[in-house]
Amino acid sequence: PPLFDIKLQGKVVQKSFNPHAAKSTLIQKFEGVPVKDNLHLELVPQNESAKQMPAALSGIEIIRSDS
């Protein structure tokens, strides 16, 4: 399966993410990510399968936390 590292603001927040593992809606929650102006999200291919199959997101929700 294609495996990707998820990076937020240049920091890996999850290793070896398989976007095809979930059969329905998948919810991932990452807290404590400082954002000043823009959120930088990367899906970094970690194996040959991921390099041949571009990653795609069909939706993303960002909730501001002032903690």
Side-chain angles (χ1 to χ4, degrees):
L3 299 174
F4 299 87
D5 282 358
I6 300 174
K7 292 175 80 173
L8 294 173
Q9 303 303 82
K11 179 182 175 186
V12 176
V13 293
Q14 182 173 335
K15 292 183 138 312
S16 301
F17 170 68
N18 178 357
H20 301 288
K23 299 296 180 198
S24 61
T25 302
L26 176 66
I27 298 173
Q28 298 283 77
K29 186 175 182 178
F30 305 104
E31 296 180 342
V33 179
V35 178
K36 183 175 179 175
D37 295 316
N38 297 301
L39 175 65
H40 187 79
L41 166 73
E42 292 179 82
L43 296 175
V44 183
Q46 292 304 303
N47 60 10
E48 196 58 40
S49 178
K51 291 175 184 173
Q52 294 178 11
M53 181 183 298
L57 296 174
S58 59
I60 184 171
E61 178 181 22
I62 300 167
I63 300 172
R64 180 180 178 162
S65 172
D66 291 324
S67 56

